[in-house]
Amino acid sequence: MRAVVMYAPGDVRVEQREDPKILAPTDAIIRLSATCVCGSDLWPYRGLDEHDGPVPMGHEYVGVVEEVGGEVTSVEPGQFVVGSFFASDNTCEICRAGYQSRCVHAVPMAAIGTQAQRARVPLADGTLVATPAMPEADLIPDLLAASDVLGTGWFAAVAAEAGPGKTVAVVGDGAVGLLGVLAAKQLGAERIVAFSRHADRQELAVEFGATDIVTERGDEGVARIKELTGGLGAHSVIEAVGTQESMMQAIRSARPGGHVGYVGVAHDVELPGRELFYSIVHLHGGPAPVRRFLPGLIELIWDRTINPGKVFDLELPLEEAAEGYRAMDERGAVKVLLRP
Amino acid sequence: MRAVVMYAPGDVRVEQREDPKILAPTDAIIRLSATCVCGSDLWPYRGLDEHDGPVPMGHEYVGVVEEVGGEVTSVEPGQFVVGSFFASDNTCEICRAGYQSRCVHAVPMAAIGTQAQRARVPLADGTLVATPAMPEADLIPDLLAASDVLGTGWFAAVAAEAGPGKTVAVVGDGAVGLLGVLAAKQLGAERIVAFSRHADRQELAVEFGATDIVTERGDEGVARIKELTGGLGAHSVIEAVGTQESMMQAIRSARPGGHVGYVGVAHDVELPGRELFYSIVHLHGGPAPVRRFLPGLIELIWDRTINPGKVFDLELPLEEAAEGYRAMDERGAVKVLLRP
């Protein structure tokens, strides 16, 4: 099969790899209908993560089940499925508490690579959720978004306790931040302030439910949030970048007792204990337990209540994956969908 | 009146100061029945906080109202009252959300000094809670504890979401940690693990509700918590120290998705973003909004359901305050009560 491999920062290739095989009786093999490039793939692409190339890439996926191991009971060949970027058993105590991304048997799909024609999905019963039927073609980008970027934005909004009567600020106008806006809207937030200085992203933020756009960043951005909230700060803040500046902007944008939901993978972040202490905010985040939200998100997509696939503004054949990475790196695209 | 003043690290004196006066119509003047030395007073005493002496000391207090300003309506002269270490209006949006320690008009009582015979309490209507009647003498230490150390331990337990079915770990065996144990017990926690290596504190922890004592610290202590919880970590962790080691011990003792409630005033703490991210814990803490809990705590004390005053293991006349500081500094006493 054809698959994306990163050899070194900036060096992404599509090459021939062996087709995946069932290795454990709990595995499933899926044929991918679509996959995509994640903002987190850009960290190694930019040389900001350690990288021992060549490594298979990708952890977002939707597709059709081709084969299942002998112990798999909840999905069967022929079904269209969505899974999250961590395979999870969905039965352990951590999973049952809703933290499937830290399942005691978690397997990161990034270690398997889903920017490919086929992929092995471990713990298929716990990981995969089948759609009610084969989806219409135009729903596939929406369902793919649920696999990570929507689920992650949704987790951030839940972690930030977005809801009725709340003012929600969103730091980061990438796909996750934009879908954090969508999630906050769906969760009933009263006012949603998106930090963004890019016209196309501002437009999508407003379409997803943003009521205000703030173009300032850092402490100036914080000052604007304070102005918009009677000097208090937002009730809820979504952080979807992962830098020191974005984390501090998020914490400082929240009011005392407010909630910060952070999902940007932290890079060189050190939170000053004294400032955090006196901020008296709630801080919750990490790798999103997307599996918790998948059934509900699939339903919202199936009913055409939400259209998260709009974050894909560039679609390429898998063979042109390198071009997709380049576009996202240069911010020419918000998020790139790849067709295997 | 007589009052405690810190001139420099290690240099605590009791001297003559002017009696306080009503400065604003929302003030009250109280005559203190008891006051005490706080663990946080030890930071400047040990030269670990910046100190521009001489400064009045103390922020915990119970006593009898002597005089009120013209706008005070909820308390009157002759009543016995308990207040928190932040004066708060209890009417602003932040107070109504339960974060009175960050009231938009908050006044730190530490800036006024309550290790004294009398004290001015700003925002008396929002700050002071009267007891149902003049308390019996043996209840005074319990009520004094509510002013800070009990309210702080209680907030930590609430922030850590201690409750039925939960395993709660408590980092720190000072008065706040011990009262965190008491709070976790009252909130219905199933199992309470106290980190402590001092026999007298272990004994009090068990009396307050600890089911297990762990004497190891740091990563060894974390390993013990994992052993006690099937490898997962505690659901809830209370942090009541404020050092880098104690914060990391708390975060690492919590299971994925668990809750860390931290109330130790952070000193030279930098939280590593990446580790915090992957821990996927909830982190909440800061200066405790004791006022939120005061009415309920006073009721539990009045009914003799709880006896938090047990943390006072040394009682001295106010004139001997310096001896009280020394005893706490040398860990000869858990907490020192001063009689003005």
Side-chain angles (χ1 to χ4, degrees), chain A residues 42-55:
Chain A
L42 296 182
W43 292 107
Y45 186 81
R46 292 170 173 163
L48 298 172
D49 269 349
E50 273 189 55
H51 185 84
D52 279 327
V55 290

Side-chain angles (χ1 to χ4, degrees), chain A:
Chain A
M1 69 170 183
R2 304 295 288 171
V4 176
V5 175
M6 189 181 292
Y7 275 74
D11 182 4
V12 168
R13 306 180 199 171
V14 180
E15 59 183 32
Q16 201 63 24
R17 288 182 67 206
E18 266 195 45
D19 274 338
K21 291 191 168 43
I22 298 284
L23 300 180
T26 48
D27 285 350
I29 304 295
I30 63 167
R31 177 168 44 78
L32 281 102
S33 303
T35 180
C36 51
V37 183
C38 182
S40 68
D41 295 332
L42 296 182
W43 292 107
Y45 186 81
R46 292 170 173 163
L48 298 172
D49 269 349
E50 273 189 55
H51 185 84
D52 279 327
V55 290
M57 295 297 294
H59 52 267
E60 298 158 284
Y61 56 101
V62 292
V64 177
V65 178
E66 285 201 329
E67 189 186 351
V68 296
E71 291 177 14
V72 174
T73 59
S74 71
V75 294
E76 57 187 46
Q79 280 186 316
F80 191 92
V81 292
V82 188
S84 124
F85 57 94
F86 271 104
S88 55
D89 62 26
N90 214 23
T91 57
C92 76
E93 202 171 326
I94 302 299
C95 280
R96 280 182 282 130
Y99 287 91
Q100 291 91 339
S101 51
R102 286 292 310 277
C103 169
V104 299
H105 299 117
V107 180
M109 291 301 294
I112 290 174
T114 64
Q115 290 165 6
Q117 291 182 305
R118 287 181 173 73
R120 180 177 68 87
V121 180
L123 304 168
D125 276 341
T127 306
L128 297 172
V129 180
T131 55
M134 200 56 64
E136 293 182 54
D138 69 323
L139 284 184
I140 286 180
D142 296 312
L143 292 165
L144 176 62
S147 176
D148 177 351
V149 75
L150 170 62
T152 295
W154 200 277
F155 171 58
V158 169
E161 300 214 346
K166 300 279 187 83
T167 293
V168 181
V170 182
V171 180
D173 63 358
V176 172
L178 291 168
L179 290 171
V181 170
L182 179 148
K185 173 74 177 172
Q186 289 295 316
L187 291 167
E190 184 172 303
R191 191 171 192 182
I192 302 169
V193 186
F195 286 102
S196 177
R197 43 179 66 182
H198 299 87
D200 53 337
R201 293 164 191 237
Q202 291 173 355
E203 201 174 309
L204 198 48
V206 169
E207 187 177 334
F208 282 159
T211 55
D212 301 80
I213 301 287
V214 168
T215 55
E216 292 87 346
R217 279 192 194 173
D219 288 345
E220 284 177 26
V222 171
R224 286 285 296 137
I225 294 289
K226 293 278 170 75
E227 275 175 40
L228 292 169
T229 54
L232 301 180
H235 300 91
S236 302
V237 183
I238 291 172
E239 192 283 337
V241 183
T243 62
Q244 184 73 22
E245 185 188 32
S246 65
M247 280 298 283
M248 296 317 299
Q249 184 175 331
I251 291 166
R252 292 172 183 160
S253 292
R255 66 180 56 196
H259 289 77
V260 176
Y262 68 104
V263 291
V265 182
H267 279 74
D268 297 324
V269 171
E270 295 274 336
L271 300 182
R274 182 66 70 109
E275 179 171 349
L276 194 63
F277 182 85
Y278 285 105
S279 77
I280 205 168
V281 300
H282 298 74
L283 198 59
H284 182 40
V290 171
R291 182 63 182 79
R292 188 204 307 178
F293 308 108
L294 267 186
L297 297 180
I298 290 173
E299 199 175 314
L300 288 171
I301 290 166
W302 205 260
D303 297 344
R304 295 180 183 274
T305 304
I306 60 174
N307 50 1
K310 286 218 164 188
V311 295
F312 295 108
D313 53 353
L314 179 60
E315 184 175 325
L316 295 169
L318 183 69
E319 288 297 324
E320 293 172 31
E323 177 52 31
Y325 275 78
R326 191 158 38 241
M328 277 180 64
D329 178 41
E330 293 166 359
R331 295 181 76 90
V334 173
K335 194 164 175 74
V336 177
L337 184 145
L338 301 172
R339 294 276 182 187

Side-chain angles (χ1 to χ4, degrees), chain B residues 32-96:
Chain B
L32 281 102
S33 305
T35 180
C36 49
V37 183
C38 182
S40 68
D41 294 332
L42 296 182
W43 292 107
Y45 185 81
R46 291 170 173 162
L48 298 171
D49 270 349
E50 275 189 55
H51 185 84
D52 278 329
V55 292
M57 294 298 294
H59 52 266
E60 298 157 285
Y61 55 101
V62 292
V64 177
V65 178
E66 285 202 329
E67 189 185 352
V68 296
E71 290 177 16
V72 174
T73 60
S74 71
V75 293
E76 58 188 47
Q79 280 186 315
F80 191 91
V81 292
V82 187
S84 125
F85 57 94
F86 271 103
S88 55
D89 63 25
N90 214 24
T91 57
C92 76
E93 203 170 324
I94 302 299
C95 280
R96 280 182 283 131

Side-chain angles (χ1 to χ4, degrees), chain B residues 301-325:
Chain B
I301 291 166
W302 205 258
D303 297 344
R304 297 180 181 274
T305 304
I306 59 174
N307 49 0
K310 285 217 165 189
V311 295
F312 294 108
D313 53 353
L314 179 61
E315 184 175 322
L316 295 169
L318 182 69
E319 288 298 324
E320 293 171 31
E323 177 52 32
Y325 275 77

